[in-house]
Amino acid sequence: RFIIRSLDGRVDDALLNFVSKDGIFDHVGYLRARDIGFLMETPNFNRDKTAWSLADLNKLELGQTYSRGSVIFTRIEPGFKVDFSE
């Protein structure tokens, strides 16, 4: 079984706890809190579009990994695997 969550805060308002006063989304914190293991979309909802967002993961090639805030993202087809390091 699995649960599908929206990353825009409309369906799961818990995401709103991970937005700063400046409008920067802490998607990494949200992914960890919700124990999310797979991403199909990588949005950038940040007010400041130059701040890091999940959209930055789109630069990864298939099989490449990127670590941020003790979360490891791996580009797979058709999205990203999410692993949490200790």
Side-chain angles (χ1 to χ4, degrees):
R1 300 185 99 179
F2 57 91
I3 297 172
I4 297 175
R5 298 194 187 276
S6 172
L7 291 175
D8 63 8
R10 293 181 197 160
V11 177
D12 185 6
D13 62 356
L15 177 60
L16 300 178
N17 296 322
F18 295 89
V19 182
S20 73
K21 292 178 185 176
D22 298 330
I24 304 298
F25 281 72
D26 177 14
H27 276 117
V28 170
Y30 174 76
L31 296 173
R32 178 175 286 288
R34 288 296 202 194
D35 195 26
I36 293 174
F38 180 78
L39 292 173
M40 293 184 67
E41 295 181 354
T42 52
N44 183 355
F45 296 124
N46 293 329
R47 198 173 297 150
D48 175 1
K49 296 300 182 186
T50 63
W52 187 89
S53 75
L54 294 175
D56 291 314
L57 297 174
N58 292 326
K59 300 172 188 171
L60 294 178
E61 299 290 331
L62 194 63
Q64 282 187 310
T65 62
Y66 175 78
S67 177
R68 183 168 183 91
S70 72
V71 177
I72 301 167
F73 299 93
T74 304
R75 180 74 180 247
I76 59 175
E77 194 61 42
F80 298 87
K81 182 179 177 203
V82 180
D83 291 304
F84 304 103
S85 60
E86 298 304 319

